[in-house]
Amino acid sequence: MKHGERARADRSPAGDPGSAVVGRETETADIMRRVAAGRSHSAVLVVEGDPGAGKSVLLDLAVRRTRDAGHRVLRAVGGESEAHLAFAGLHQLLRPVLGDLDGLPARQRAALRTALGLAEHAETPDPMLVGLAVLTLVSDLAEPAPLLVVVDDAQWIDRASLDVLSFLARRMDSEPVTLLVGVRAAAVLPGFDKGYARLEVGPLSGDAANRLLDAQPERPTGRTRVRILQEAAGNPLALVELARAAASSTPVGSAVEGPLPVTDRLVGIFARHVGQLPEATRRALLMLAAADAVDAPAAARGLPEADDTLWVPAERAGLVRQDTAGIAFRHPLVRSAVYHAASFEERRHAHLALARLLGEEPDRRAWHLAAATVRPDEQVAAVLLETAGRARRRGGHAAAAAALERAAELSPRRADQARLLADAADMAVFTGQLGWVKHLAGEVRKRTDDPALTSRAALATGQLMTLGPHHTAAFALLARLADEAADDRSPRLLDALAAAAVVRYYSGEESQRQRIEALLPDLPDSAAGGALRAWVRAVSDPAGAGASLVPALPELIAEAGDDARALTALAIVAWLLDQTTLAARTFDEAFGRWQAHGPLPAGLGCAAGWAYLEQGRWAEARSVAAEIAVVASQAGLDHAEACARALDAAVVALLGEPAAARGEAERALALVDPLESRSVAVFARRALGLAAVAEGDYDTAYAHFRSAFTEDGDPVHYHVSPTVLADLAAAAVRRGQREPAAELLERSVRHLGTGMSARVALLVERGRALLADPEHAERHFRAALADDAGEQWPFERAQTRLDYGEWLRRRRRIAEARPLLTGALDTFRRLGARPWIERTRAELRAAGVEATSATPRALTELSPQQQQIVRLAARGLTNREIGERLFLSPRTVGSHLYRVFPKLGVTARSQLRDAVDRPPVTATAAHLTSVTRHIG
């Protein structure tokens, strides 16, 4: 053998994952760097590219090298026919480690086993609990050595599994786990479309493409080589396959006129290969193509002649790989080509054969039967209906909706089609896919005039539209449905009004309140609807409903019992009525029992975050905002994402990070139309105003706070605008706008009338004190501090103490000012409100007290998540219990505690309670305590 021939023979095949991948040196190094980084902490990388770009080859290489290093790998590959099977991808991923499920906590183990179809359970598994179970399992598997998780062709992974993987990716944190996700470039991958490192596998360079052609067994030359390079356009798989075609007796592409999409050309090439195979091999390939990875063993059982020699022609043609794990297509495009090259009758026989072999897998059997059916078939529709029921019970809403939709297509009677499509629309609401819900509702209308079904499907559309930005259209739809329900005395009236009330809150449109109010007398009087009736009244008109609802709330909450949905709705009602302590407590109770069947009831999910913010639980408020922003972004629900970003902007501004606050608030405003979403507009402008205050820019602050009111001084939003009054007054005083601000405040008071909540009343008194003449200010300050209910809102209370203390100091009533300023400083330090800390310290210095320059106590220096972990650990919860509460792995909890112990100045877990509860102790604080005692 000549030296050149030996060199070519020694080259590894281009598709061999053990070899260096031609032209992908940079991509290979990037992936392996991520895998190496994952040995000490988590790493997530999304590998995206066009079909045939080489994503799978790169992932194969990472798997091969990781296994060679003695580390564990979990791997799943998406398949088109499994895209509608809830948790099919997760089952494939975890199949090698199912025996390790026994080590999970009982609730997690039960939820995961139910989701995977390994056990039956009366209740639908909580998706968050399923995600936590996978997180705990992955953490345990990574204990002895780093773990690599690879998910290829993720565009075909079922939505339920994809949600779990997204949950895992967001919470791996310090786990020694690397997650590699391969996806086609044009595919939308919910949960991974933002926030993760991406590696784009693009076309090969000209030099790399030529090197790849040189590496082929038959190296093309001359005009054939030029044509291959032109047609392949840098796609590695196309280069290899076109070179293979050129080596055959048929010349490449001489008769083809004009360029064709690469994938179309590849399908043609693969189809020609299939046509040259023996009949038995073609039948075997088609069975394998009609199946998926999980069904492959069944496909093999259906081919008694499928011995090793049967696959040799297909292997020689480069269509399949054969190893100890079995037979697999060399690339998804091969499977597609084999499948579509066959006639429908051939495909139908393959699916029917697989259905017969999968008698013990009813969901897979159902979908194979459906794939083999083109005419209405009541029996196939029935098995799909059963599949939908199983998916729903396991929390697979997307899979359930898809099965219901297909069952409708195969149902002989139009009435059954309409009913099943309406059921599918109800289920699809929980996926957040508005386009799908609209399509299903439209299909219902095509099949029936039954108002019960058409209005139910329309209501599903309206409910999901409330979380989008187009509130005028959403309200018009919901109001029409409510009118129809009222005429028919239908129980759907309550659901329609509940959703319409959400739109009314978001839009702030007064005419919508009037429309809702006109329908309230028609609401059915049932004990089961008590929480929703309270919801409709409070959301649409909290000032008008407050007097009657506030006394009734505790009893309504008690009656809700273990109903997490009703508890959450009532918690939101309590927040709207400024019963903040009750709201936060009820949110805690509801979330502790929540079995997540979808979005929070009727929207307003950020209410929990606002309640926590107002109560001084800022870390928890940020956690709520982060979760909602992620979910809303994945689903394309712009308004819900904007709400979350406005909430986070407010907290970040209070913490003294004005640049970050402006970024979040501006993103919120960019997501909505301020005229359609007045609540978000006012919340975001308020956050911008607080950011300006943090920087001492009172001109800008005044402009933002003033925008919460119209030119005439009326509130832009009936519920949010009044909360800005005191901040507006403070900025107006510093800007010299005392008189117009006072007029605006009093106009708002008249507008609120007797329905003013205790919180707003205290804010009004603070605003009046700031804007009043000196001889009248003090009585307003005292009124603003008189009601003990004000302790529900610690930051606002501290602001009032600071303002009053400053007012007293300027009138040389120093001894009276000091206790107020000290109390304000303690609160601001506890919360971590840096700008207000500095301002209060300056006031104390002016009062003759040199407050320490200490920064906020160490606890406030921690991240929101770390603060939550520390507080729960201080209450005696174990790492595993904390992980269940916060949806983190025990290892992540332990890692956080290890890092924060030195920051808190503790060495043992038993010291955490003191670190959480103690106030910042300084010599100056002790001196102020003695001064306060002396004054008293």
Side-chain angles (χ1 to χ4, degrees):
M1 184 182 289
K2 296 180 180 178
H3 176 75
E5 291 173 339
R6 182 180 300 276
R8 280 196 297 274
D10 288 344
R11 287 191 183 109
S12 298
D16 180 2
S19 65
V21 184
V22 175
R24 298 299 189 198
E25 294 78 11
T26 300
E27 291 89 342
T28 300
D30 194 357
I31 289 176
M32 297 315 302
R33 185 168 60 252
R34 304 276 179 180
V35 173
R39 292 170 185 168
S40 58
H41 57 81
S42 66
V44 180
L45 179 67
V46 178
V47 182
E48 61 182 3
D50 291 328
K55 304 181 297 299
S56 297
V57 174
L58 290 168
L59 296 177
D60 286 344
L61 179 61
V63 169
R64 173 79 169 268
R65 291 186 178 178
T66 300
R67 284 178 173 157
D68 288 347
H71 298 158
R72 195 167 211 167
V73 178
L74 294 179
R75 186 171 191 182
V77 180
E80 288 175 278
S81 69
E82 289 195 345
H84 298 312
L85 296 175
F87 297 108
L90 188 63
H91 189 277
Q92 184 187 158
L93 187 74
L94 299 182
R95 177 180 284 185
V97 295
L98 291 178
D100 293 278
L101 266 58
D102 292 338
L104 294 174
R107 289 179 65 237
Q108 295 180 30
R109 181 175 63 250
L112 183 54
R113 286 179 60 82
T114 302
L116 295 177
L118 302 176
E120 290 291 334
H121 199 274
E123 294 184 0
T124 300
D126 181 350
M128 296 287 275
L129 198 57
V130 174
L132 179 58
V134 174
L135 177 62
T136 304
L137 178 63
V138 164
S139 177
D140 291 345
L141 293 172
E143 184 70 36
L147 175 69
L148 175 64
V149 180
V150 176
V151 180
D152 199 4
D153 283 325
Q155 70 276 359
W156 291 325
I157 293 289
D158 64 280
R159 180 60 184 271
S161 296
L162 202 59
D163 288 344
V164 172
L165 290 168
S166 174
F167 179 97
L168 176 68
R170 295 199 304 274
R171 288 172 173 79
M172 291 193 304
D173 196 23
S174 57
E175 305 292 338
V177 179
T178 301
L179 173 60
L180 302 179
V181 181
V183 62
R184 289 191 175 181
V188 176
L189 197 61
F192 292 92
D193 52 348
K194 297 177 184 177
Y196 295 108
R198 310 187 82 79
L199 175 62
E200 183 177 353
V201 184
L204 292 174
S205 66
D207 174 66
N210 277 294
R211 284 193 285 125
L212 183 57
L213 288 179
D214 288 340
Q216 301 311 302
E218 297 291 335
R219 185 169 65 91
T221 59
R223 294 178 61 188
T224 300
R225 186 183 186 96
V226 172
R227 184 66 189 271
I228 289 172
L229 289 169
Q230 289 175 340
E231 293 290 333
N235 184 287
L237 186 61
L239 287 163
V240 171
E241 294 307 324
L242 289 170
R244 192 187 302 275
S248 67
S249 57
T250 304
V252 176
S254 56
V256 176
E257 305 232 350
L260 294 175
V262 171
T263 52
D264 287 349
R265 179 168 294 280
L266 287 173
V267 169
I269 292 170
F270 293 141
R272 186 166 66 251
H273 283 324
V274 173
Q276 296 166 0
L277 297 175
E279 176 65 24
T281 302
R282 286 205 309 273
R283 287 201 308 273
L285 278 176
L286 181 56
M287 280 285 284
L288 193 62
D292 272 304
V294 177
D295 295 338
R301 290 198 306 271
L303 296 164
E305 75 276 25
D307 55 17
D308 289 344
T309 59
L310 181 70
W311 298 107
V312 170
E315 196 169 10
R316 284 176 178 167
L319 301 176
V320 298
R321 291 195 192 98
Q322 187 170 201
D323 55 28
T324 56
I327 299 289
F329 285 111
R330 194 168 51 83
H331 190 278
L333 286 178
V334 181
R335 175 176 178 264
S336 177
V338 169
Y339 186 79
H340 291 291
S343 67
F344 172 76
E345 192 61 24
E346 290 172 323
R347 295 198 300 270
R348 190 175 76 84
H349 283 300
H351 282 295
L352 288 174
L354 285 166
R356 286 192 297 272
L357 294 165
L358 290 166
E360 296 181 358
E361 298 282 347
D363 293 337
R364 300 182 193 283
R365 175 177 177 272
W367 280 107
H368 281 297
L369 289 173
T373 308
V374 290
R375 298 182 182 87
D377 189 312
E378 199 162 10
Q379 291 183 331
V380 177
V383 296
L384 282 169
L385 188 58
E386 293 172 0
T387 287
R390 284 188 290 270
R392 179 183 55 77
R393 289 191 295 274
R394 292 161 58 189
H397 300 109
L404 288 165
E405 183 178 17
R406 183 66 175 130
E409 293 169 355
L410 295 178
S411 293
R413 292 178 292 277
R414 290 176 66 85
D416 291 337
Q417 294 172 14
R419 175 178 51 79
L420 290 170
L421 287 165
D423 291 343
D426 287 339
M427 196 59 56
V429 168
F430 296 110
T431 70
Q433 299 177 47
L434 180 58
W436 188 13
V437 175
K438 285 183 173 180
H439 165 74
L440 292 169
E443 292 299 310
V444 172
R445 290 193 299 273
K446 289 179 183 177
R447 287 164 173 78
T448 185
D449 295 326
D450 182 351
L453 290 176
T454 57
S455 63
R456 180 153 69 90
L459 179 58
T461 304
Q463 288 171 328
L464 200 50
M465 286 177 69
T466 64
L467 302 180
H470 305 300
H471 291 129
T472 300
F475 189 85
L477 172 60
L478 291 165
R480 176 177 62 77
L481 294 173
D483 285 336
E484 293 171 357
D487 291 341
D488 298 338
R489 303 190 64 80
S490 166
R492 282 188 303 279
L493 173 59
L494 187 54
D495 291 327
L497 283 185
V502 175
V503 180
R504 147 67 175 165
Y505 183 85
Y506 287 148
S507 72
E509 176 60 49
E510 176 62 14
S511 63
Q512 294 176 359
R513 181 195 66 78
Q514 295 169 358
R515 187 85 176 270
I516 291 170
E517 193 173 76
L519 287 166
L520 283 175
D522 295 322
L523 281 177
D525 186 14
S526 67
L532 272 186
R533 285 199 301 277
W535 166 279
V536 172
R537 294 174 59 205
V539 173
S540 58
D541 184 18
S548 59
L549 278 182
V550 167
L553 266 179
E555 183 177 350
L556 286 171
I557 291 169
E559 290 172 354
D562 291 333
D563 186 342
R565 297 173 72 91
L567 283 173
T568 305
L570 290 168
I572 295 172
V573 169
W575 170 71
L576 287 163
L577 301 178
D578 285 329
Q579 300 295 303
T580 305
T581 300
L582 178 62
R585 185 169 65 244
T586 309
F587 276 126
D588 291 341
E589 187 177 356
F591 294 162
R593 301 173 182 178
W594 185 251
Q595 297 293 319
H597 298 293
L600 291 177
L604 289 182
C606 277
W610 286 112
Y612 292 149
L613 181 151
E614 291 159 11
Q615 201 183 38
R617 297 162 61 178
W618 292 357
E620 291 166 88
R622 293 202 71 189
S623 294
V624 169
E627 286 295 331
I628 292 176
V630 168
V631 172
S633 176
Q634 292 171 6
L637 301 173
D638 289 349
H639 188 273
E641 182 182 356
C643 291
R645 297 202 178 280
L647 168 60
D648 195 55
V651 184
V652 172
L654 293 172
L655 290 169
E657 300 175 30
R662 279 194 295 273
E664 286 287 85
E666 287 165 1
R667 288 177 72 185
L669 290 169
L671 286 166
V672 298
D673 179 347
L675 296 179
E676 292 256 14
S677 302
R678 294 181 180 90
S679 61
V680 167
V682 177
F683 273 132
R685 295 290 183 191
R686 177 186 170 199
L688 289 169
L690 291 170
V693 170
E695 294 180 312
D697 181 359
Y698 289 96
D699 284 344
T700 300
Y702 178 83
H704 286 306
F705 294 144
R706 180 63 180 80
S707 69
F709 302 88
T710 67
E711 287 294 324
D712 295 334
D714 292 328
V716 168
H717 189 271
Y718 64 99
H719 181 249
V720 187
S721 292
T723 66
V724 182
L725 285 169
D727 289 322
L728 173 63
V733 169
R734 291 178 177 266
R735 192 173 177 268
Q737 295 289 328
R738 188 184 302 266
E739 187 174 338
E743 291 177 2
L744 186 150
L745 185 147
E746 296 305 327
R747 183 183 181 95
S748 293
V749 169
R750 291 192 296 273
H751 191 277
L752 289 165
T754 58
M756 195 185 309
S757 71
R759 179 190 176 203
V760 174
L762 295 178
L763 291 173
V764 166
E765 290 298 338
R766 179 187 165 218
R768 282 171 169 165
L770 291 166
L771 297 169
D773 295 331
E775 63 271 19
H776 301 300
E778 187 163 17
R779 66 184 177 90
H780 294 299
F781 276 127
R782 289 183 179 276
L785 292 171
D787 191 344
D788 289 340
E791 299 300 331
Q792 294 180 79
W793 309 289
F795 180 76
E796 293 170 4
R797 194 71 154 182
Q799 283 181 301
T800 304
R801 288 190 174 113
L802 171 57
D803 291 336
Y804 189 17
E806 182 181 50
W807 185 89
L808 288 168
R809 181 195 61 77
R810 291 183 179 179
R811 279 142 192 83
R812 302 187 182 279
R813 295 163 59 179
I814 304 299
E816 296 172 78
R818 286 172 178 169
L820 289 164
L821 295 172
T822 304
L825 181 61
D826 286 346
T827 299
F828 292 142
R829 278 180 166 164
R830 176 170 59 82
L831 297 174
R834 294 174 182 274
W836 286 266
I837 292 169
E838 295 306 315
R839 180 183 156 197
T840 310
R841 287 181 59 245
E843 284 298 323
L844 278 167
R845 282 196 301 272
V849 178
E850 184 55 46
T852 62
S853 59
T855 55
R857 63 178 180 161
L859 185 64
T860 63
E861 298 284 356
L862 306 181
S863 71
Q865 188 177 78
Q866 288 173 334
Q867 290 185 44
Q868 287 181 284
I869 290 170
V870 168
R871 292 184 189 279
L872 292 172
R875 289 165 49 186
L877 274 69
T878 66
N879 288 2
R880 194 170 284 270
E881 289 170 337
I882 295 170
E884 285 215 37
R885 184 74 62 88
L886 301 182
F887 300 100
L888 299 171
S889 73
R891 185 205 299 269
T892 297
V893 174
S895 176
H896 277 302
L897 288 173
Y898 176 80
R899 292 198 297 269
V900 304
F901 269 31
K903 297 179 183 179
L904 296 175
V906 301
T907 57
R909 203 179 186 102
S910 59
Q911 298 171 322
L912 287 175
R913 182 179 293 276
D914 289 338
V916 169
D917 293 340
R918 68 178 178 236
V921 178
T922 64
T924 302
H927 169 71
L928 289 173
T929 301
S930 67
V931 169
T932 304
R933 193 179 296 120
H934 175 72
I935 294 171

